[in-house]
Amino acid sequence: MSDIHEDLARIVGKNWVSSQKEERYLYGRDPGLMPPHEPEYVVMPKTTEEVQEIVKLANREKVPVVPKGAGLSLTGLVIPQRGGILLDMKRMDKILEVNDKAGYVIVEGGTTHATLKSHLMKHYPHLRHSMPDSPPIATIVANAVIHGQGRLTQQHGFNSDMVSGLEVVLGTGELCRIGSCAVSQYWFSKGPPMPDLTGLFLGWFGTTGVITKLGMKLYPCKKIRDAMMFLTDRADLVPDIMRKLGRTEMMEDIVSSFAPLPLRLKGNFNILIIITGDSEEEVEFKRKMAWDTLWEYFESRDGGFLSVPPDMKPALLAMPSKDTTRFADTSKGGGFEYSGPITPIEKYPEFIAKLEELASKYKLFYASSARVIDGGHSMMFSFSYTFNRADPDSMVRVKTALDEAAEFALEQGGVIWKPNIDEQKMVMERMDPNTLKLMMKLKELLDPNGIMNPGNWEAK
Amino acid sequence: MLELKFDKSKCADCKAVSCLVKCQYMDFDKDTAKVEWQKVIDGEDCRVLHDCVTCYSCEEYCPFGNHPFYLIVERQEEKGILPAPRPVITMWINQCQPVGRFMVGKVEEKALSYCFLPIFNELVKGKLFDGIWPSMIFGQEFFCNAVYLHYARMSVIKDRLPKIVENIAKQGIKELVCLHDECYGTFTSIALAYGIEVPFKPIHYYEYLHDRLKELKAEIKPLNVKAAYQRNCSARLIPETDHFVDDIFGLIGVERVKREYDGENGLCCAELIRMSKGPKLADDVQKRNVDDMVKFGAEYCVFNCPACYDSLVERVMRAGIKPIRMIDLCKVAIGEEQSQKPALEGMPVLKAAMEGK
Ligand SMILES: Cc1cc2nc3c(=O)[nH]c(=O)nc-3n(C[C@H](O)[C@H](O)[C@H](O)COP(=O)(O)OP(=O)(O)OC[C@H]3O[C@@H](n4cnc5c(N)ncnc54)[C@H](O)[C@@H]3O)c2cc1C
């Protein structure tokens, strides 16, 4: 057993570190398509101090540190490209504070969306957070780190926009507070009126530090949530439909789904609209707004609302939605990955055409769901393909299709969301050179030994 | 090519033009109705083809059984008139297309048809179905397709129905108890109107329930309640089955309230109206319907069709009336549990109202 193992055991206790084959095997891969690479050590810290000590140790020994939440981002972001220490954050799962009046929560670095959701339902039923549709074990911090989107993204932007403060262990092991919490006991702002330094950590995939605490804004949990479904068979109308709905500033969420199966979805763009209200009048008013907004498409017969029967509603309203998870196993054998560029809504028709083109070229089963972000400034468009892990050929076909989708998204003026290491290179190649230089300088400053999730956001 | 058995001369001799004059959604006096109907016959573009809410009622209003509604549907399709938004029609056509996936139980000569409605699997429990279940069929391959009448797609019905009939016959079924009213309407009315031979005997489930209740008479505890009855669109294709409602109610001690919107004057559940004409008319129809149930003191609203139930369940409950399906009502009368309780999770507004109380 190496010294590092012993040192880690001394820091976290021997039950929470492993360099056994089994753990290294499991922590060397994620459910997506990037090739596996094993860590030497897997460690599960419980406190910020332990994280600090681990990072300091890693600096001393010049071994990589890769923070991991639930490992569900699918694009290999938690695969230790250069081995080293895999930092599994799951034990740091506490909810430290809910500030009801200012409307935020402070969670630890590995707290899951499920934990927060149930905590709020039980203790603060009038408050909610923006739940993504990933399996509920996904962590709040990692979701913010990759600029995830959830049920409130249509109204309030990326889930990372809702961050209201951070505590970070820098790549050097130093501890740092970011946002209002740096000068006050309150975690109400991630930066303003001071410089917003959260940008040094969000979107960096753990390459600049380990987030040990995060403040997240909470929003009113209205008493009533209801689902409406609008269909159109014209891709060219979807951007306007989504934009118009977004601009009502009345809808909780707007998601357009497109897939050849189940048959009821085939041939149409199925736009789910969630409305909320504290009273029947409020819900009715928003329902009417949705109808009025889309009346022209209804009249032209190019679009129409589908009445949603009561037995269908719970599935549409579920948070997280189970649909993507169900889709993920369509090919059986547990394989699913999506490329989800962030792009202007107007690109929807081109992206749909590409989705189908790639599916037919590589003989893949496909689906897409596009979520409106921040009232319509952009959307996340997913190119989702399934594969069977026992069929290597299907994996190659999906990977090739996703690579082409990423290339296409960039050509179209989109930006790749949670890019894998190859896609990060594509992004950096197109990036304004001075921006790239700035990024690299910042990275070097925060992680001088290059130990933090190496392989990611690396220019060379 | 299957052709509608429509006899122009019957319309020529008709003085009442009931098909249009009695319509509850379009206003016609006899004279304008006569002119308008002639346009439909001649295949001219006219108001009816655009304004029809597809409630099927004119099939019942026509005293000659001359299929005015099927003619309207044919004409709408010929002219490419869309009674509902195109994507909604596409959704229906795709969703119910036969794809070779279906479920059959231990099929015997007499079998239950669930059509393509999984809800029936929950409903057909208990003594009422002893002796027949699990002789059942379910799936798109057995789906009656009548719904396309709402969408001006008689071509889909004509295309799929003969095969559906064949699929059922192939199971060796001689008597088919149609749990979905529309199936019975399809196999008796539509099939007849287009000369499609049906080599098995369709039995309306009301008739089946009535016969079973007579056999279980000793177990019936009269319910002594007043109920409003919600007539559904396909009941207009088979008005001859309506007496079973009274027969069943008579056996189980339910009074069918004599309200304004029952019988020939019944109102559509209106969810299809919402999808085709928008919320204003649909809300108005639903409100008038439920207000009428309240006015006549109904304690229950009894549903035949699962779609009507879904459309009206929330409104009915909010009016303080208990929604119940006919099968469940019969079950309760013989002391069994109601299998389908309204799912509050799917009615968020009502749920919030109830939690607020
Ligand atoms: C079926 C399915 C549906 C999905 N739907 C959505 C959706 O609707 N919205 C959405 O946003 N995503 C979705 N996703 C993608 C993904 O699952 C989520 O974004 C999820 O929140 C990622 O969290 P995680 O804990 O799994 O992250 P991980 O994969 O564990 O980590 C992601 C990144 O964060 C870094 N990281 C982790 N913890 C820390 C830390 N404490 N400090 C610094 N860096 C850290 C990791 O190194 C990695 O780079 C979906 C995924 C699946 C499989």
Side-chain angles (χ1 to χ4, degrees):
Chain A
M1 218 177 284
S2 72
D3 289 350
I4 295 179
H5 183 105
E6 274 166 30
D7 286 344
L8 288 169
R10 188 182 41 73
I11 296 168
V12 295
K14 66 176 177 11
N15 287 340
W16 303 108
V17 59
S18 171
S19 29
Q20 298 285 322
K21 246 203 197 128
E22 293 83 349
E23 272 84 23
R24 291 175 55 197
Y25 176 89
L26 285 171
Y27 282 90
R29 58 205 70 226
D30 77 356
L33 283 161
M34 293 306 281
H37 193 282
E38 293 181 11
E40 271 90 45
Y41 316 94
V42 177
V43 59
M44 297 181 82
K46 181 72 185 154
T47 64
T48 298
E49 292 70 28
E50 288 177 6
V51 174
Q52 276 186 282
E53 281 197 61
I54 294 166
V55 175
K56 282 179 186 158
L57 167 71
N59 269 292
R60 265 199 319 275
E61 302 290 338
K62 307 278 185 295
V63 289
V65 176
V66 178
K68 171 173 175 158
L72 285 170
S73 48
L74 304 175
T75 44
L77 301 176
V78 292
I79 295 177
Q81 303 294 340
R82 313 235 165 93
I85 302 169
L86 190 298
L87 198 65
D88 183 339
M89 298 298 288
K90 270 190 211 77
R91 286 177 72 219
M92 296 184 65
D93 59 354
K94 285 204 281 292
I95 291 167
L96 300 169
E97 182 191 338
V98 172
N99 188 320
D100 189 346
K101 289 188 181 131
Y104 63 77
V105 60
I106 307 170
V107 297
E108 284 192 312
T111 307
T112 67
H113 280 281
T115 306
L116 178 57
K117 184 183 172 200
S118 28
H119 185 81
L120 293 176
M121 279 172 72
K122 194 162 172 203
H123 303 289
Y124 302 90
H126 54 288
L127 292 174
R128 62 185 291 206
H129 80 292
S130 182
M131 185 97 185
D133 287 322
S134 35
I137 50 158
T139 62
I140 297 163
V141 165
N143 182 257
V145 164
I146 62 167
H147 293 303
Q149 312 97 42
R151 284 285 172 182
L152 297 176
T153 284
Q154 197 289 123
Q155 289 172 290
H156 303 287
F158 290 93
N159 287 353
S160 46
D161 290 331
M162 302 168 205
V163 167
S164 65
L166 298 177
E167 178 192 85
V168 193
V169 173
L170 304 181
T172 52
E174 292 155 285
L175 190 66
C176 197
R177 281 194 167 193
I178 307 289
S180 57
C181 64
V183 285
S184 145
Q185 72 270 38
Y186 296 110
W187 289 54
F188 55 80
S189 166
K190 66 185 176 128
M194 302 171 295
D196 179 359
L197 298 180
T198 56
L200 297 174
F201 306 97
L202 303 177
W204 286 86
F205 309 146
T207 58
T208 51
V210 181
I211 298 171
T212 43
K213 292 191 183 99
L214 178 139
M216 177 66 78
K217 288 183 193 164
L218 300 174
Y219 298 87
C221 183
K222 301 248 179 185
K223 292 193 185 106
I224 306 167
R225 288 179 79 235
D226 209 347
M228 300 175 79
M229 186 61 85
F230 190 80
L231 311 183
T232 180
D233 51 8
R234 287 183 50 187
D236 59 318
L237 296 182
V238 175
D240 275 348
I241 292 171
M242 296 207 292
R243 187 178 307 108
K244 283 178 182 163
L245 286 168
R247 287 187 182 171
T248 61
E249 299 191 328
M250 297 271 171
M251 314 299 152
E252 174 197 284
D253 200 5
I254 305 164
V255 180
S256 174
S257 302
F258 180 69
L261 280 176
L263 285 171
R264 77 187 141 77
L265 298 186
K266 189 183 160 185
N268 281 323
F269 304 94
N270 302 268
I271 303 172
L272 173 68
I273 305 163
I274 306 283
I275 49 175
T276 58
D278 275 328
S279 65
E280 191 183 338
E281 290 74 22
E282 189 180 345
V283 174
E284 262 325 296
F285 179 72
K286 289 178 178 173
R287 202 190 311 278
K288 186 170 179 312
M289 285 294 293
W291 266 96
D292 290 352
T293 304
L294 303 181
W295 187 260
E296 62 182 289
Y297 307 107
F298 176 71
E299 262 192 333
S300 68
R301 310 267 95 169
D302 286 329
F305 282 97
L306 194 67
S307 291
V308 184
D311 62 348
M312 254 178 82
K313 276 194 186 164
L316 295 175
L317 292 168
M319 284 186 293
S321 156
K322 295 194 183 83
D323 286 348
T324 325
T325 308
R326 212 171 280 131
F327 168 79
D329 201 30
T330 318
S331 300
K332 302 300 166 199
F336 154 68
E337 187 169 329
Y338 65 98
S339 171
I342 310 298
T343 165
I345 287 181
E346 71 200 53
K347 292 290 177 187
Y348 191 85
E350 287 88 341
F351 278 60
I352 284 290
K354 192 70 186 176
L355 171 85
E356 290 192 294
E357 179 202 314
L358 292 172
S360 110
K361 184 169 163 191
Y362 296 106
K363 299 188 180 52
L364 301 173
F365 183 65
Y366 65 95
S368 168
S369 94
R371 170 168 271 144
V372 173
I373 299 172
D374 202 8
H377 293 296
S378 61
M379 66 174 169
M380 186 284 297
F381 180 98
S382 80
F383 290 87
S384 306
Y385 300 114
T386 65
F387 54 86
N388 181 342
R389 210 165 272 286
D391 170 10
D393 175 57
S394 73
M395 295 172 73
V396 172
R397 283 184 282 120
V398 171
K399 178 76 172 68
T400 318
L402 289 176
D403 288 348
E404 281 184 39
E407 193 74 54
F408 173 81
L410 288 170
E411 277 163 22
Q412 292 291 314
V415 181
I416 305 169
W417 176 47
K418 58 182 177 69
N420 63 40
I421 45 173
D422 301 327
E423 293 166 342
Q424 289 168 29
K425 290 197 174 80
M426 287 184 205
V427 172
M428 289 187 288
E429 272 162 25
R430 280 172 174 79
M431 201 178 264
D432 167 28
N434 285 336
T435 311
L436 185 58
K437 231 193 261 171
L438 174 65
M439 262 181 83
M440 293 307 120
K441 275 189 201 162
L442 290 169
K443 197 162 161 282
E444 209 181 317
L445 179 76
L446 294 164
D447 174 28
N449 288 320
I451 57 159
M452 297 305 299
N453 205 357
N456 286 281
W457 290 134
E458 269 183 7
K460 286 172 240 134
Chain B
M1 186 62 182
L2 297 170
E3 292 248 348
L4 174 64
K5 289 180 185 157
F6 172 76
D7 183 352
K8 268 186 197 177
S9 65
K10 285 183 181 165
C11 294
D13 295 340
C14 175
K15 301 272 176 306
V17 205
S18 310
C19 55
L20 296 188
V21 171
K22 285 189 177 178
C23 178
Q24 309 202 58
Y25 308 95
M26 288 180 284
D27 231 356
F28 284 110
D29 59 33
K30 265 190 208 158
D31 296 337
T32 46
K34 188 86 188 167
V35 177
E36 182 77 7
W37 188 246
Q38 193 56 46
K39 287 185 186 166
V40 175
I41 294 172
D42 296 342
E44 283 175 39
D45 196 0
C46 58
R47 201 186 126 198
V48 167
L49 302 185
H50 295 271
D51 291 358
C52 170
V53 301
T54 73
C55 71
Y56 301 12
S57 303
C58 46
E59 279 296 302
E60 180 175 11
Y61 300 151
C62 175
F64 311 110
N66 207 19
H67 303 303
F69 181 57
Y70 301 160
L71 187 67
I72 293 174
V73 176
E74 293 264 5
R75 293 290 185 256
Q76 285 175 323
E77 185 164 15
E78 280 161 26
K79 305 218 127 2
I81 293 167
L82 299 174
R86 198 179 50 249
V88 172
I89 299 176
T90 305
M91 190 283 295
W92 272 104
I93 292 177
N94 287 340
Q95 163 160 275
C96 304
Q97 67 177 274
V99 286
R101 274 200 315 211
F102 53 88
M103 239 173 76
V104 293
K106 285 172 94 180
V107 177
E108 301 194 10
E109 287 195 353
K110 188 168 184 174
L112 296 166
S113 168
Y114 294 1
C115 189
F116 184 33
L117 291 156
I119 173 84
F120 289 123
N121 201 30
E122 283 175 57
L123 287 170
V124 295
K125 305 254 160 72
K127 285 185 193 152
L128 290 167
F129 298 93
D130 278 356
I132 184 161
W133 196 85
S135 174
M136 53 69 64
I137 56 173
F138 164 82
Q140 285 112 312
E141 317 303 300
F142 309 118
F143 176 65
C144 63
N145 286 280
V147 70
Y148 302 117
L149 293 173
H150 290 299
Y151 300 124
R153 285 294 183 278
M154 199 53 109
S155 57
V156 177
I157 301 178
K158 288 196 274 189
D159 180 39
R160 292 182 186 172
L161 187 54
K163 185 84 185 104
I164 301 289
V165 169
E166 194 187 313
N167 290 344
I168 296 170
K170 262 199 209 149
Q171 298 295 326
I173 294 167
K174 301 271 184 304
E175 292 184 313
L176 186 72
V177 179
C178 302
L179 294 167
H180 190 205
D181 187 85
E182 269 194 2
C183 290
Y184 187 82
T186 306
F187 299 134
T188 55
S189 170
I190 302 179
L192 212 64
Y194 284 92
I196 300 170
E197 205 197 319
V198 177
F200 50 85
K201 184 181 170 212
I203 299 173
H204 195 280
Y205 78 106
Y206 280 3
E207 184 178 352
Y208 172 86
L209 287 175
H210 184 242
D211 289 349
R212 277 301 284 153
L213 284 170
K214 280 197 293 190
E215 287 165 9
L216 296 166
K217 200 157 184 186
E219 304 190 29
I220 297 175
K221 290 190 192 70
L223 296 169
N224 297 323
V225 292
K226 289 166 113 188
Y229 181 65
Q230 171 59 34
R231 280 196 85 200
N232 51 313
C233 49
S234 54
R236 308 295 191 153
L237 313 181
I238 43 171
E240 68 277 12
T241 57
D242 191 65
H243 72 89
F244 285 118
V245 178
D246 299 318
D247 299 347
I248 293 172
F249 280 10
L251 281 177
I252 61 177
V254 174
E255 179 191 334
R256 180 174 181 170
V257 295
K258 299 214 167 17
R259 63 194 190 106
E260 186 183 345
Y261 298 124
D262 196 359
E264 222 184 49
N265 206 25
L267 281 177
C268 166
C269 74
E271 233 18 64
L272 275 149
I273 296 183
R274 186 179 308 281
M275 286 192 271
S276 60
K277 306 281 175 226
K280 209 165 157 199
L281 178 60
D283 285 341
D284 171 63
V285 172
Q286 291 185 336
K287 182 174 182 318
R288 280 193 284 134
N289 195 0
V290 176
D291 284 353
D292 186 53
M293 296 178 192
V294 173
K295 185 170 153 198
F296 287 85
E299 298 157 74
Y300 280 86
C301 175
V302 179
F303 290 94
N304 177 351
C305 163
C308 293
Y309 181 95
D310 285 345
S311 310
L312 286 169
V313 58
E314 185 163 357
R315 226 178 243 275
V316 161
M317 284 176 76
R318 298 175 75 190
I321 297 172
K322 295 187 196 83
I324 193 161
R325 301 167 200 270
M326 185 63 102
I327 294 176
D328 266 339
L329 187 75
C330 296
K331 277 192 201 165
V332 175
I334 58 167
E336 289 183 355
E337 279 279 302
Q338 181 177 340
S339 38
Q340 253 290 312
K341 294 263 163 62
L344 269 186
E345 291 308 316
M347 297 182 270
V349 175
L350 177 66
K351 185 167 180 268
M354 290 177 68
E355 280 166 1
K357 268 180 199 162

